[in-house]
Amino acid sequence: MDVPAIVELKDIWVNYGEVPALENVSLSVFEHDFLGIIGPNGGGKSTLLKVILGLIKPEYGSVSVFRQSPEQARSHVGYVSQRYLFDRDFPASVWDVVLMGRYSRAGILRRYDDRDRAETAKALAGVGMLEHRGKQIGRLSGGEQQRVFVARALVAEPRLLLLDEPTASIDSTMQTEFYDLLEGLKDSLTIVMVSHDIGAVSVHVDKIACLNRQMYYHGSKEITPEILEATYQCPVQLIAHGTVPHRVLREH
Ligand code: ADP
Ligand code: MG
């Protein structure tokens, strides 16, 4: 029996004025996938996540998320946007930043209750940041802030987690820790992660989509150099890295 996809994009077209961002893009995401969407800067990756969130309406094509419209499904979707880190003096604590993630559940007329606080503590513990809860968010390192943003997304109890370039502003040691964190989450969640860093992504995810305005590939991790070259429009090479094939962009 066919398992229904939880995200189904069919033949999506998005333009920003004269600038085409997505052309004829289709994508299926299944429960418990850990999908990496890779492609060059400007390739439409962030746009694609916004289509899944219902923040951008495609000019053409159909979008279904949990077999509903993206707007109806949004309360089941956690999102960590591509962002710059907080300013050092940003006046909010780690605890407040995560608790605010309960906002959509609490609604504007309800105060946070014990359940909200319990979920906040659980999410912070889950990303290893509970002991930092009293700190000002901007005083944390990049990797620590990313963990807090993931906790903020998790606290709303999503069934699907969308991460836009989550490791862009953290160093390589922190990146390894961050991927270990995602490893621990992927049994209970479906994860779609966008990145322009093919090397790191291909080691950790289960499935890959290559996006550069069009979808060049979508499937298991066994992508060929030819597909990557078509996506990035420049030479790409595969290098052995331990037992896992590791794919990197060749200097060009
Ligand atoms: P990626 O996340 O892969 O870097 P984006 O989805 O951010 O790509 O952008 C895809 C294309 O759409 C780029 O050419 C970008 O300049 C353009 N674009 C993105 N957002 C906007 C916007 N709000 N207005 C105009 N053009 C945009
Ligand atoms: Mg982007």
Side-chain angles (χ1 to χ4, degrees):
M1 203 180 81
D2 281 349
V3 184
I6 60 174
V7 175
E8 192 83 76
L9 305 188
K10 282 199 185 124
D11 201 8
I12 297 295
W13 296 73
V14 174
N15 296 317
Y16 295 103
E18 298 290 291
V19 184
L22 298 176
E23 293 177 349
N24 198 19
V25 167
S26 295
L27 177 77
S28 305
V29 183
F30 296 90
E31 192 124 41
H32 297 299
D33 275 355
F34 184 4
L35 170 71
I37 300 178
I38 60 172
N41 283 320
K45 304 181 298 298
S46 297
T47 302
L48 186 72
L49 293 189
K50 288 174 190 164
V51 168
I52 297 172
L53 284 159
L55 300 175
I56 291 176
K57 279 251 160 286
E59 267 141 76
Y60 186 82
S62 68
V63 187
S64 99
V65 183
F66 296 112
R67 287 188 269 176
Q68 297 173 301
S69 73
E71 292 82 0
Q72 288 168 321
R74 201 181 294 157
S75 63
H76 301 298
V77 183
Y79 173 50
V80 179
S81 68
Q82 183 172 9
R83 67 172 79 225
Y84 297 99
L85 299 173
F86 274 108
D87 186 81
R88 262 190 86 67
D89 295 319
F90 191 84
S93 69
V94 166
W95 177 264
D96 290 338
V97 168
V98 177
L99 184 65
M100 279 186 284
R102 294 290 294 180
Y103 181 77
S104 63
R105 294 201 152 237
I108 27 177
L109 297 177
R110 186 164 81 70
R111 287 172 178 269
Y112 295 116
D113 61 16
D114 287 346
R115 171 100 201 282
D116 297 322
R117 284 182 280 273
E119 290 296 330
T120 299
K122 193 172 115 190
L124 276 171
V127 301
M129 290 299 294
L130 188 57
E131 75 215 58
H132 298 286
R133 63 181 161 187
K135 286 194 183 153
Q136 223 169 305
I137 182 78
R139 300 287 159 122
L140 301 180
S141 72
E144 290 168 336
Q145 289 195 27
Q146 288 296 359
R147 286 171 169 266
V148 173
F149 298 139
V150 171
R152 180 190 160 96
L154 291 178
V155 83
E157 303 172 79
R159 294 164 60 196
L160 169 67
L161 182 61
L162 308 179
L163 302 168
D164 196 348
E165 308 269 5
T167 60
S169 52
I170 59 185
D171 66 36
S172 53
T173 326
M174 280 291 198
Q175 288 192 12
T176 307
E177 278 186 34
F178 187 79
Y179 287 118
D180 288 344
L181 164 67
L182 296 183
E183 267 319 301
L185 293 174
K186 73 182 192 187
D187 290 337
S188 52
L189 271 175
T190 302
I191 304 177
V192 176
M193 182 174 73
V194 156
S195 181
H196 62 265
D197 180 3
I198 317 173
V201 166
S202 63
V203 173
H204 297 279
V205 300
D206 304 321
K207 293 182 180 175
I208 281 185
C210 300
L211 181 69
N212 188 3
R213 234 155 62 186
Q214 299 168 31
M215 195 62 93
Y216 282 87
Y217 176 77
H218 176 208
S220 73
K221 278 212 298 195
E222 305 313 311
I223 42 178
T224 65
E226 290 73 26
I227 294 165
L228 286 177
E229 293 189 12
T231 309
Y232 282 82
Q233 287 165 7
C234 63
V236 172
Q237 83 189 146
L238 303 178
I239 58 166
H241 181 87
T243 54
V244 188
H246 197 97
R247 300 162 180 95
V248 292
L249 280 176
R250 194 185 291 154
E251 295 293 328
H252 64 282

